[in-house]
Amino acid sequence: MDETELKRFFGRELLDWYRRGNRDLPWRRSRDPYYIWVSEIMLQQTRVETVIPYFNRFVERFPTVRALAEAPEEDVLKLWEGLGYYSRARNLQAAAREVAERYDGRVPNDVEAVRGLKGVGPYTAGAILSIAFGRPEPAVDGNVMRVLSRYFCLDEDIARPATRTGMEKLARELIPEGAAGDFNQALMELGALVCTPRSPHCLTCPVMAHCEGRIAGREEELPVKSKAKPPKPQHRLAVLAVRADGRVLVRRRPAQGLLARLWELPHVEAPSESVWDSPEAGPSWLAETLVLEEGVRVRPNRHLGDAEHVFTHLHWYVRVWGASGASLEAPAQRDLAAAGEAAAASASAEGQEAALPFAVREAAFPWGEAGEDNYRWIDRAEFEALAWPNVFRKILAAHFESS
DNA sequence: CAGACGTGGGG
DNA sequence: TCCCCAAGTCT
């Protein structure tokens, strides 16, 4: 069997296999390009089972491009809470606004236009164009690269960007006439269910007969993928400041970068693990840094517990310190609060409204200008309504459960 | 190109 | 427990 026959065989067999039966997924019940689009964004780096409930809630709340375009950003983030990679949500809404204005609310059936939407890269563009519009575009994700690496016994490192380009060229040649959408989904379905990362189920594979990787006995060692760098450890000190009326001090993260626009407990990075771990230096550093960098004056005085959170590139060790305006000043904090006793006292007065002491107005506030409503004293109901990163959602949930 | 960017599940 | 990783994109 020559190369051309091999490719034709692969496409037909895979397509037939997929059409004999595939998973009943919410976004497969519709041909609405908007639904396809939303699902593909959510599926980036995220498992199908995780996405399903998020997808259902999302399209129920935002059934159309215009509904999404007109929604408050906080609503979109709240529905994305826990799904991760939050720039996807912001980019999706930005792109929805572009589609609403520029394309009359309809996802454009045009390669360049789709590819130009925020958050839509080569994979997602190919997925939308093939599945929603039947265009013969490749949609190469991790599944596809794994399947192709094995079937054609390719040794290229799939972690390298250049490899994906080559895979796209190959995948394009494999698309059976008039069946791009089903074929692309078949390729991914095979990777997800049969040609799995470890212990591939070759005996039930529809294309086992001509799989070069399998024939070479290399199905377990392919694809070649270089290892990612381990996450960098960061030791962070957080404060759970509770006011006399039970409200908790929280802040909103900046619009750019990690966990953008989500809410969290005020926290700082410790200069070393030993400071982080020290019952004296830790809370001192926390209070001092919050005053200097944010003009927020708190007196952490009680170790409430630790939390750990692993990102792709960071490993957070979070130590949570309790604080209350009514607490006695511990000896270790005596020397650091010198500049702001009056402000601290006023902020902690019983039942007083949240006049935060932004003592250092000239400093650059990475969390936004003072008075921009980036800090709030919240109760349990507000906690439920705001969007939180997982690590802080857990800490605050535990607090509100027990209070 | 390499690094930033989340989270939860499975072996 | 630990490590890998999952329908990637942006800078």
Side-chain angles (χ1 to χ4, degrees):
Chain A
M1 181 178 274
D2 66 21
E3 196 70 10
T4 306
E5 281 178 299
L6 191 67
K7 289 175 179 172
R8 187 186 315 279
F9 170 85
F10 178 83
R12 294 309 319 182
E13 288 302 306
L14 195 55
L15 191 56
D16 290 347
W17 168 79
Y18 180 76
R19 288 180 170 169
R20 280 198 296 275
N22 55 63
R23 288 177 290 180
D24 176 23
L25 304 174
W27 47 90
R28 286 183 178 164
R29 296 186 163 201
S30 163
R31 264 308 189 80
D32 187 335
Y34 168 65
Y35 284 24
I36 308 296
W37 177 21
V38 169
S39 73
E40 291 301 339
I41 299 296
M42 287 188 168
L43 285 162
Q44 291 169 3
Q45 299 290 283
T46 312
R47 287 186 156 71
V48 164
E49 310 79 60
T50 305
V51 165
I52 289 172
Y54 282 90
F55 174 83
N56 287 331
R57 285 193 293 266
F58 197 91
V59 297
E60 185 181 358
R61 171 69 179 77
F62 311 118
T64 63
V65 170
R66 288 195 191 285
L68 176 57
E70 291 162 8
E73 184 197 73
E74 309 142 61
D75 293 11
V76 179
L77 273 181
K78 183 62 183 176
L79 282 187
W80 212 272
E81 181 186 42
L83 199 53
Y85 287 129
Y86 299 96
S87 66
R88 291 184 295 174
R90 293 163 51 80
N91 287 337
L92 177 58
Q93 190 180 30
R97 288 174 173 160
E98 185 185 350
V99 169
E101 292 169 17
R102 198 161 156 188
Y103 305 111
D104 195 32
R106 287 185 293 271
V107 179
N109 179 358
D110 178 275
V111 175
E112 302 309 321
V114 169
R115 186 61 184 78
L117 296 173
K118 272 187 185 162
V120 176
Y123 161 75
T124 305
I128 294 171
L129 289 159
S130 63
I131 298 170
F133 300 119
R135 304 285 291 268
E137 294 291 320
V140 173
D141 68 343
N143 281 315
V144 174
M145 288 199 283
R146 181 173 60 255
V147 170
L148 297 183
S149 292
R150 286 175 177 159
Y151 190 81
F152 295 100
C153 206
L154 308 174
D155 283 294
E156 274 80 4
D157 179 359
I158 65 168
R160 290 177 49 228
T163 301
R164 204 210 65 241
T165 311
M167 294 275 183
E168 280 174 345
K169 181 166 160 37
L170 173 56
R172 186 184 292 277
E173 298 172 3
L174 298 171
I175 300 172
E177 183 74 28
D182 278 357
F183 172 73
N184 284 340
Q185 293 186 83
L187 215 37
M188 293 186 277
E189 190 98 338
L190 187 77
L193 301 180
V194 178
C195 197
T196 47
R198 277 157 307 189
S199 311
H201 309 131
C202 296
L203 296 183
T204 60
C205 178
V207 293
M208 175 184 80
H210 302 286
C211 176
E212 297 180 6
R214 165 72 174 174
I215 291 165
R218 300 186 58 202
E219 69 274 15
E220 296 273 5
E221 64 188 70
L222 293 174
V224 174
K225 186 175 184 181
S226 55
K227 270 186 292 225
K229 273 179 38 181
K232 175 180 154 196
Q234 271 189 358
H235 291 84
R236 296 194 159 265
L237 296 158
V239 64
L240 183 69
V242 185
R243 217 165 59 172
D245 62 3
R247 287 174 176 265
V248 174
L249 181 62
V250 301
R251 72 183 178 194
R252 185 164 50 190
R253 295 182 61 87
Q256 304 294 325
L258 184 68
L259 305 169
R261 301 294 279 174
L262 271 63
W263 290 82
E264 65 180 6
L265 291 180
H267 62 100
V268 304
E269 184 178 3
S272 67
E273 183 175 356
S274 58
V275 167
W276 176 82
D277 198 40
S278 162
E280 295 81 29
S284 290
W285 178 271
L286 172 57
E288 194 170 313
T289 309
L290 279 177
V291 158
L292 285 176
E293 294 188 353
E294 319 227 5
V296 173
R297 195 170 302 279
V298 293
R299 276 180 279 183
N301 55 11
R302 195 160 62 98
H303 179 203
L304 296 180
D306 296 339
E308 241 178 276
H309 196 67
V310 183
F311 303 92
T312 307
H313 60 303
L314 294 175
H315 190 148
W316 276 4
Y317 298 87
V318 182
R319 176 149 296 174
V320 185
W321 287 87
S324 63
S327 69
L328 294 176
E329 187 180 357
Q333 280 90 57
R334 195 178 298 285
D335 60 323
L336 66 89
E341 282 310 307
S346 72
S348 62
E350 319 283 329
Q352 180 176 332
E353 199 38 48
L356 278 177
F358 288 97
V360 195
R361 291 187 177 279
E362 307 80 69
F365 291 109
W367 310 98
E369 297 302 312
E372 266 189 14
D373 197 31
N374 287 329
Y375 275 84
R376 285 188 200 167
W377 292 94
I378 62 159
D379 60 19
R380 182 193 302 256
E382 288 163 319
F383 164 61
E384 302 294 350
L386 299 174
W388 306 86
N390 187 268
V391 58
F392 290 107
R393 192 180 56 70
K394 282 181 183 163
I395 293 169
L396 280 161
H399 167 74
F400 282 118
E401 294 307 317
S402 64
S403 65

